[in-house]
């Protein structure tokens, strides 16, 4: 038999643990739901930017968003090396 005090302590611990789990789940789901709702509202009314085409960043004019350029130090190259773009340093704006 379990003494009454231990049973009461176990029930109290279960209630507190359940409360923590509930708060954890709620605090995990709420920001995502709010973000999705505001994004849906924004997409419903706002037109995408004509310059960045809704991506949120400008495409590099040197590499055209590929993050690499074809470059060779020779005037008449035998082969061309893909090199990291010196303008955007390979950042695609993500």
């Amino acid at each position: 038999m379990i003494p009454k005090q231990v049973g009461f302590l176990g029930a109290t611990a279960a209630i507190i643990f359940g409360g923590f789990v509930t708060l954890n789940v709620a605090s995990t789901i709420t920001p995502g739901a709010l973000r999705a709702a505001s994004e849906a509202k924004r997409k419903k009314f706002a037109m995408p930017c004509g310059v960045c085409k809704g991506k949120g960043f400008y495409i590099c004019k040197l590499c055209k968003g590929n993050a690499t350029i074809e470059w060779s130090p020779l005037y008449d190259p035998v082969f061309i090396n893909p090199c990291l773009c010196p303008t955007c340093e390979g950042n695609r704006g993500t």
Side-chain angles (χ1 to χ4, degrees):
M1 287 291 218
I2 299 174
K4 235 179 190 181
Q5 292 85 4
V6 176
F8 178 74
L9 185 63
T12 305
I15 290 172
I16 292 173
F17 181 72
F20 282 139
V21 169
T22 303
L23 286 175
N24 189 13
V25 169
S27 65
T28 301
I29 292 174
T30 302
L34 292 174
R35 187 179 310 115
S38 65
E39 185 71 18
K41 185 177 176 183
R42 184 189 64 82
K43 283 187 177 183
K44 183 177 179 182
F45 295 111
M47 296 297 294
C49 175
V51 177
C52 68
K53 296 179 180 52
K55 293 184 179 179
F57 62 94
Y58 295 110
I59 295 174
C60 176
K61 295 196 188 310
L62 181 63
C63 66
K64 295 179 180 55
N66 292 331
T68 59
I69 57 171
E70 295 179 356
W71 178 82
S72 178
L74 303 174
Y75 177 73
D76 188 21
V78 177
F79 59 92
I80 298 175
N81 294 329
C83 297
L84 189 65
C85 178
T87 305
C88 66
E89 297 179 344
N91 295 325
R92 296 178 188 221
T94 57

